[in-house]
């Protein structure tokens, strides 16, 4: 009896590897044919992600970093929100707002977004060409040109954006909320709405009829 039991156990051990091998072969054929687990049939459609780099001429400053949470089915998911301002101090400035799993990723995404929304600031004699009062939501900002040597009379986020834009003499006042993100967007919108004497679109210029007097 003992010899027969040993023979049965030996037969079981011999048949198990063949069964596992067959199952592995089937699984390999299924994955190779493009199964659900990301086989060779699906492939990498998107390709490697390329991160955009900010040119060396641009300087970046972090405006605000906040921790935000989102209530999910399994609990709360914590992420970070970053607001970054970039500028070359030569008339180009922008802000970016993005979220990420950590602070580094959020800042990188915000910088990439800011590079796509650059604003050209018209600078006249190291100041702005005219006064402007801009409103964005609950934020309201007043910008006025200043004489040479006056400097930047501003504080907080308004001063940061004006310095990055390259304006050396200006007076400003925050009249609305103290929210940094809204004030930053309001300043960017105000700089975007500045106009100079030269028309931005000559086709929209009013046509002037010239009267020629016959002599």
């Amino acid at each position: 009896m003992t010899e027969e039991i040993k023979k049965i156990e030996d037969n079981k051990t011999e048949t198990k590897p063949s069964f596992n091998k067959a199952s592995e072969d089937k699984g390999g054929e299924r994955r190779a044919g493009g199964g659900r687990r990301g086989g060779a049939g699906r492939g990498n459609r998107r390709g490697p992600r390329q991160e955009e780099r900010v040119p060396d001429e641009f300087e970046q400053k972090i405006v605000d970093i906040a921790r935000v949470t989102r209530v999910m089915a399994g609990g709360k998911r914590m992420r970070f929100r970053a607001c970054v301002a970039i500028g070359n101090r030569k008339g180009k400035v922008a802000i970016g707002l993005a979220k990420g799993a950590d602070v580094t990723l959020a800042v990188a995404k915000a910088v990439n977004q800011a590079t796509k929304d650059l604003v050209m600031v018209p600078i006249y004699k190291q100041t702005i060409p005219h006064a402007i009062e801009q409103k964005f939501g609950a934020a309201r900002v007043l910008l006025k040109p200043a004489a040479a040597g006056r400097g930047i009379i501003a504080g907080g986020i308004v001063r940061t954006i004006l310095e990055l834009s390259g304006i050396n003499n200006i007076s400003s006042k925050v009249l609305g909320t103290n929210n940094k993100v809204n004030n930053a967007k309001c300043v960017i919108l105000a700089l975007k709405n500045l106009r100079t004497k030269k028309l931005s679109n000559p086709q929209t210029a009013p046509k002037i009829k010239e009267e020629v007097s016959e002599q």
Side-chain angles (χ1 to χ4, degrees):
M1 293 292 292
T2 56
E3 293 180 357
E4 293 179 357
I5 294 171
K6 288 182 180 180
K7 288 181 180 180
I8 294 171
E9 290 178 354
D10 293 339
N11 292 332
K12 287 182 179 179
T13 54
E14 289 177 358
T15 55
K16 282 183 180 179
S18 61
F19 177 77
N20 293 335
K21 186 176 181 180
S23 62
E24 289 175 2
D25 294 337
K26 289 181 180 179
E29 291 175 1
R30 184 179 179 185
R31 292 176 185 175
R36 295 182 178 179
R37 295 186 180 182
R42 177 180 290 181
N44 193 358
R45 298 178 181 178
R46 295 184 179 181
R49 184 176 179 180
Q50 297 179 356
E51 296 184 357
E52 299 181 3
R53 296 183 178 179
V54 183
D56 296 336
E57 62 176 347
F58 286 92
E59 181 182 351
Q60 65 183 40
K61 290 186 178 181
I62 297 176
V63 175
D64 183 42
I65 293 179
R67 187 179 64 181
V68 295
T69 56
R70 183 178 180 181
V71 179
M72 306 292 291
K76 294 182 179 181
R77 185 179 67 176
M78 185 181 67
R79 302 180 73 187
F80 292 91
R81 184 197 66 188
C83 182
V84 181
I86 65 171
N88 63 348
R89 299 182 183 270
K90 295 180 182 179
K92 290 184 179 180
V93 68
I95 62 169
L97 186 67
K99 298 177 184 178
D102 55 356
V103 177
T104 306
L105 182 60
V107 171
K109 290 171 66 176
V111 171
N112 291 337
Q113 181 184 357
T115 55
K116 301 175 183 178
D117 300 330
L118 289 172
V119 175
M120 295 293 298
V121 182
I123 300 175
Y124 177 72
K125 294 182 179 180
Q126 299 182 352
T127 186
I128 56 178
H130 59 85
I132 184 171
E133 183 176 349
Q134 188 65 47
K135 191 176 186 301
F136 179 82
R140 193 157 60 99
V141 176
L142 175 64
L143 302 178
K144 287 185 177 183
R150 189 71 182 272
I152 299 176
I153 302 176
I157 180 58
V158 180
R159 184 181 189 88
T160 302
I161 295 177
L162 294 177
E163 287 178 350
L164 292 175
S165 64
I167 300 173
N168 296 329
N169 304 296
I170 191 172
S171 299
S172 67
K173 180 67 176 177
V174 176
L175 303 174
T177 181
N178 293 327
N179 189 294
K180 293 182 180 180
V181 177
N182 285 346
N183 284 332
K185 291 181 179 180
C186 187
V187 175
I188 292 293
L189 188 60
L191 296 177
K192 188 177 181 179
N193 291 335
L194 289 174
R195 294 291 181 266
T196 57
K197 292 183 178 180
K198 295 181 180 179
L199 295 173
S200 58
N201 190 1
Q203 295 180 358
T204 60
K207 296 181 180 180
I208 301 175
K209 296 181 180 180
E210 295 183 357
E211 297 181 358
V212 180
S213 58
E214 298 180 359
Q215 294 181 354

